[in-house]
Amino acid sequence: QVQLVESGGGLVQPGGSLRLNCAFDAYTPTSVRMAWFRQAPGKEREGVAAIWPGDTRKYYADSVKGRFTISQDHPKNTVYLQMNNLKPEDTAMYYCAARTAPGGRWSRPDQYPYWGQGTQVTVS
């Protein structure tokens, strides 16, 4: 079982920055694979970034490469999504997700059994 709590969303102007935080509670935190997803009104949930602890692999959606950075603070069991040069099309509800076992493609929402409550990001 993994519990997730997001924070850090808000309203920002185009070109601005935000940092999202996801604190997680897991029995074996070093085995948890973490990801950020987002969902805009009327659109499907899409993978934004993922990080695999232990081997430091990181994955990004093409639309955010070079602008967003995912990182993890192991002692704090927290994953961050630093978002720079934000655009209006980045507006969405952002969700933190986790899985504890290898699975399919990192960007598929159905590969993650654990989800946070979401935090709204509005770029306007």
Side-chain angles (χ1 to χ4, degrees), residues 34-58:
M34 304 292 297
W36 286 96
F37 286 79
R38 65 186 181 187
Q39 188 167 19
K43 294 188 177 181
E44 294 185 353
R45 190 167 295 190
E46 64 172 347
V48 175
I51 185 167
W52 283 182
D55 61 12
T56 70
R57 279 181 288 175
K58 300 179 182 180

Side-chain angles (χ1 to χ4, degrees), residues 60-88:
Y60 296 96
D62 288 343
S63 59
V64 307
K65 281 181 182 176
R67 300 188 299 122
F68 290 11
T69 302
I70 190 170
S71 61
Q72 183 166 358
D73 185 329
H74 288 284
K76 295 183 178 179
N77 283 356
T78 300
V79 173
Y80 305 100
L81 185 68
Q82 178 66 45
M83 305 185 295
N84 298 328
N85 190 21
L86 282 160
K87 304 175 180 181

